[in-house]
Structure formats: C-alpha cells, structure tokens
Amino acid sequence: MIKRTPPEQIKYFSQTDESCILPRFRARREFFGSLVLDCREKSVLPFDAISTAILESFGEYSLPQIKAAFAPYIPEKDMEDFVSQWHDYGMIDDDFRFGGVFFPDRSRGEYLSAPLRIYLDLTAGCNLRCRHCVSSSTVAAKNELTDEEIRELFEELAFLGVSELNIGGGEPLMRKGACDLLQYASSLGLSVSINTNGTLIDEKMAKDLASVNFDKFNISMEGGTEEIHDFCRGKGSFRKTLGAVEILSAHTPHRINLDFTITKHNAAHLKSFFDLTQKLPVSSMCLGIIRPQGRAAQNTELLLTSDEQKDILNRIEALKSGFEKPVWSKILMPECSDEPSGRLYKTFGCGAAQVACQIDAEGYMSPCNFFDEADYRDNIREKTVNEIWHENRFFIKLRNLQGNSKCLNCKFHNHCRGGCRAQALYHYGDLNSPDFLCFCEE
C-alpha cells in the first residue's frame, strides 16, 4: 500500500492524537501567494504574495518590525487595516502571531498545488435505478476501496490542504461504516458534504449521522410531487425521501438542502420544487441540469436543448424573487457578468483538474465524473493523489487548453473561462469548443 502522508506531519492536521489541537487556520502556498483554509467557518481565503509574506512574518517579528519591512510595498493605512481585519477575524492573536500553520511549500507552475475540492464515491452500489444517474449506479463494485485505504486517503487530502470533501456514490449510505469514515474525515479538518437519496435513513441512522460535522447535507429530489419524482427514481421513493427529511430534522442539527435535477420530464413543474422546499423543514434548495452521462446518455428523451436550458434559467430567476429560502444553482450560465470572478486559475476551461477532481469507489481519480474512461484517469492504489494531480497527462492537458476564438474574444471570458469542458467534448467532440450552455452571441 502506498504511504501517503509522512507520520511526523500528521500532528499538523489530525485530532487522532488527544494531545493535538486541530488549528483553525491552515495555509498552503500557491503561485499567486497562498490559500488559508478556515476549518471552523469552512471557507477558503486567498492571499496575494505580499499578504502571504506578512502572515508568515507574524510571530517571527514584532509588529513595528513588520510595518517597517513592508513599508516600501504597502501603505501604512493599508497595513493597519490588514492587521485590524484579520485580528478581528481571529487569524492573528493579541500577540500578533498567525493563529494557524503553514503547510510545506508545494507550489509550482501557475496552477494550484493540490485540489481544493474532492468528489469521492464511497460505493458504486445504489438501492435506486434513477433514469438520469450519471454513474449508472447499480451494485457495489467488486474492488472498492477498503476502510483503511479511505482513511489513508483522507489523511493525504488533509495533508495536501484539500478543503472540501463531497461524498456521493452510488448511494453512499449503502456502505457499511459510512458514518465512521465521515466522522474521521471531519476530525481531520475536511469540510464534509454528502449527497444521498435519503431513502435508507431511519431514526437509528439519523442519530449516527448527527455526530458527523457536515458542511452540507444534500438530499436528491426530482420533483415537487410524488408522480414527477417517482417517474425518475422509482415507485415509493418520494414518500421515503420526505420521511428522511422529517427524521433528520427531528434527530440531527444538520441544515438540509434539497438538490433538484431538471430534466425535460420535470422542467414544466419548476414551481412545485419551490413549493415543496418552502413547505419542508429544510434550509435551502439547489438546482442543476441533467448531464448527458451514464443512464442519462441512454435516456436521451430527458435531455434539454440549449434554448430550453436558457428558458429554465430565466424561470428560476423569476421564481427566486421573493422566495424565503436560499436557492443555489449548479447551472453554469457563462453570460452573467463582465466582472472577473476571482477564479484561482487563469487558463481556459472549467474547474476540472484546476480546483477539483473525482475519485470513484474503486480508487480511479479523474478530473470529474464525466471523464471516466481509462485515458483520463489513474488509480490512487498505484499513485498518490499528489502524483496524479501533477503528473497525469489528461490533467495537464486540461490546464493547457488553447480555447477557441469565440470564447477568447468574448467580454465574459474572465468570468467563465469558456465553461464546462465535458459538455464541449460531448456535444462538439473538441475540448477547446465553447460550452454547450453558452448563450453569448457570435
């Protein structure tokens, strides 16, 4: 088995040793400066090179020495504001020391030293057979990662400074011991989210899940009514999922999010999504569009045209007006702003291999679950996450795409960077093509 993490480094991020206190802030150096992970607020704070150097100086030098050293690079008022802001936030203590740790410097090139977000399938098994499932989940794979392998994976992710761990499947709660694994991930400072159909959750499981410090608890829905939902997920699934929401609300502190996937079958019923979310004891809802992958690519009658998707986005904006709960969108709409979006990479394309990647239940790591063929991936049983992130040829290819004239000359390019590469490959056969959901004029 690959040894992923130097034992002497575990103290920097692990709570497995009772004498160790997990630092709230963990900083990883990057080509532009650094990223500071706030383990309590579950957020990521970017700092430029000068701000990073100032942070590193706290605790090593006195405040007057730091001000004098950086006087040629930053106005005194800006320095005072910097110190005041981060002291009030808790990043700098009363003795002007950085309240966290810096990881060893692994920055290189002009891309992130490690992913910020990992999507991990705990199992390929699922108790449902949804018509639009991107992974065509059925039964557990024959060679799924063991508990020991997953725990070592979590340790490597924490050591690399990965911030978000998004758990899915299959149905992740079909895996025996899933709660124990997720508790361990949370103890390492990873911000853990889960995506579940909810149908397996009873009172006992809810009490087990209550002990996991989830950032997001996502329950998948396909409609606001039994008829619409069960068409996609199977008879009886709607009532079981609603029952899970009630049980989780009663027995856990988790803020539940309803995660809807819009297809041609349910697109006319968007209002029912909002009505159901308003009625149930949930905190928010998220809306996404069906993707042509897995069983969805077989059930092509569920796929939406570009014009239909544009219409859906407009209807969502109208329904959001006055709605009392937060509504998140996983739907990429490139033409939405001419302001830079603060992306952590400058090259062409989406976040796959730039800020995020996917690991399936058998340990195959790829830029996202759309890229699941052998040419796109390596296995974490044979290489570390760090090695795959830096050395896999397809990851490198995605970071060095040339783009196309339409996107590169578009006034919105700084915002979307060209959009989803998987959509471009599926619809046009070219990774450099525009996103299928692009609404910008030629």
Side-chain angles (χ1 to χ4, degrees):
M1 183 182 298
I2 293 174
K3 192 60 188 176
R4 303 183 173 278
T5 310
E8 66 274 11
Q9 296 294 339
I10 291 178
K11 65 181 181 179
Y12 286 108
F13 60 80
S14 176
Q15 287 182 320
T16 55
D17 180 352
E18 292 182 359
S19 65
C20 174
I21 299 175
L22 181 71
R24 174 181 171 186
F25 300 103
R26 297 179 294 168
R28 48 183 254 196
R29 296 169 185 84
E30 300 293 350
F31 66 92
F32 52 80
S34 65
L35 293 171
V36 178
L37 315 181
D38 184 343
C39 296
R40 190 184 75 185
E41 299 299 325
K42 303 182 186 301
S43 60
V44 179
L45 308 167
F47 286 81
D48 63 18
I50 291 178
S51 298
T52 299
I54 294 172
L55 274 183
E56 290 179 298
S57 299
F58 286 115
E60 296 292 326
Y61 303 96
S62 68
L63 185 58
Q65 288 175 317
I66 295 172
K67 288 183 176 181
F70 288 94
Y73 311 103
I74 179 172
E76 183 178 356
K77 178 62 168 59
D78 290 349
M79 173 65 83
E80 291 175 354
D81 289 344
F82 181 93
V83 173
S84 176
Q85 176 183 355
W86 299 113
H87 176 269
D88 291 345
Y89 189 77
M91 192 179 295
I92 303 169
D93 66 19
D94 292 341
D95 295 322
F96 300 103
R97 295 174 302 192
F98 174 52
V101 296
F102 269 85
F103 288 102
D105 188 353
R106 291 185 287 268
S107 61
R108 61 170 94 175
E110 288 206 348
Y111 65 97
L112 293 185
S113 63
L116 269 180
R117 184 183 312 113
I118 294 282
Y119 295 91
L120 173 66
D121 294 340
L122 277 192
T123 179
C126 188
N127 60 318
L128 301 182
R129 300 292 182 268
C130 302
R131 296 172 186 259
H132 69 310
C133 179
V134 295
S135 58
S136 299
S137 298
T138 51
V139 298
K142 293 181 179 179
N143 195 26
E144 295 190 344
L145 295 172
T146 66
D147 287 0
E148 182 181 2
E149 288 173 323
I150 290 177
R151 287 174 181 270
E152 288 205 351
L153 169 63
F154 291 163
E155 290 176 358
E156 183 187 5
L157 299 184
F159 177 61
L160 292 175
V162 172
S163 175
E164 300 177 40
L165 177 64
N166 195 298
I167 298 295
E171 169 49 51
L173 297 180
M174 282 192 70
R175 182 178 180 119
K176 184 178 180 181
C179 289
D180 291 339
L181 290 172
L182 300 183
Q183 286 172 349
Y184 186 67
S186 182
S187 77
L188 298 174
L190 296 168
S191 177
V192 181
S193 298
I194 190 170
N195 302 282
T196 172
N197 61 46
T199 58
L200 300 177
I201 297 174
D202 55 17
E203 187 173 322
K204 180 183 182 303
M205 182 178 287
K207 291 178 179 178
D208 290 339
L209 291 167
S211 62
V212 182
N213 183 23
F214 287 109
D215 180 31
K216 298 182 182 68
F217 199 104
N218 302 311
I219 293 187
S220 300
M221 299 289 295
E222 311 312 325
T225 65
E226 184 172 7
E227 179 183 4
I228 298 299
H229 179 94
D230 285 4
F231 170 82
C232 177
R233 292 192 169 256
K235 187 175 181 180
S237 59
F238 183 74
R239 294 187 181 185
K240 289 180 180 178
T241 300
L242 294 192
V245 171
E246 297 293 343
I247 292 171
L248 288 167
S249 178
H251 297 285
T252 77
H254 305 320
R255 296 171 61 84
I256 302 166
N257 173 74
L258 294 187
D259 201 344
F260 292 90
T261 299
I262 303 171
T263 69
K264 193 181 288 285
H265 176 74
N266 64 19
H269 305 276
L270 285 179
K271 187 176 183 303
S272 72
F273 300 179
F274 285 77
D275 292 341
L276 181 66
T277 302
Q278 186 61 47
K279 180 175 65 175
L280 293 177
V282 300
S283 300
S284 59
M285 66 184 294
C286 184
L287 297 161
I289 291 284
I290 185 173
R291 299 196 307 164
Q293 176 74 353
R295 278 196 286 270
Q298 300 167 9
N299 296 313
T300 55
E301 72 280 2
L302 297 177
L303 300 179
L304 296 153
T305 67
S306 180
D307 287 341
E308 287 171 331
Q309 293 181 58
K310 183 175 183 179
D311 176 65
I312 285 168
L313 287 168
N314 291 331
R315 287 161 54 203
I316 288 173
E317 288 303 307
L319 288 166
K320 283 169 61 176
S321 179
F323 191 68
E324 297 177 4
K325 297 180 180 180
V327 180
W328 315 107
S329 178
K330 293 187 291 187
I331 307 169
L332 229 59
M333 185 176 180
E335 186 179 355
C336 56
S337 173
D338 56 3
E339 295 294 326
S341 63
R343 289 182 181 271
L344 299 174
Y345 60 94
K346 300 178 180 179
T347 49
F348 181 77
C350 61
Q354 307 276 10
V355 296
C357 61
Q358 166 85 19
I359 301 175
D360 73 13
E362 294 184 287
Y364 287 99
M365 176 171 156
S366 60
C368 79
N369 61 1
F370 218 122
F371 298 115
D372 61 352
E373 297 179 12
D375 291 344
Y376 303 143
R377 64 190 193 178
D378 280 308
N379 198 288
I380 64 168
R381 284 175 166 139
E382 300 170 357
K383 299 179 180 180
T384 66
V385 169
N386 187 55
E387 289 170 338
I388 298 171
W389 180 257
H390 290 295
E391 299 170 10
N392 178 277
R393 292 182 180 180
F394 189 65
F395 279 66
I396 294 171
K397 182 175 183 178
L398 287 178
R399 296 182 191 123
N400 291 279
L401 293 175
Q402 298 303 304
N404 59 82
S405 59
K406 177 184 177 181
C407 292
L408 296 178
N409 293 320
C410 177
K411 66 179 181 179
F412 302 110
H413 180 251
N414 280 341
H415 181 89
C416 77
R417 314 301 298 180
C420 176
R421 296 302 85 216
Q423 291 267 40
L425 183 63
Y426 177 84
H427 289 283
Y428 308 119
D430 181 3
L431 285 168
N432 285 292
S433 293
D435 187 332
F436 178 68
L437 192 51
C438 178
F439 306 133
C440 301
E441 298 297 329
E442 295 286 352

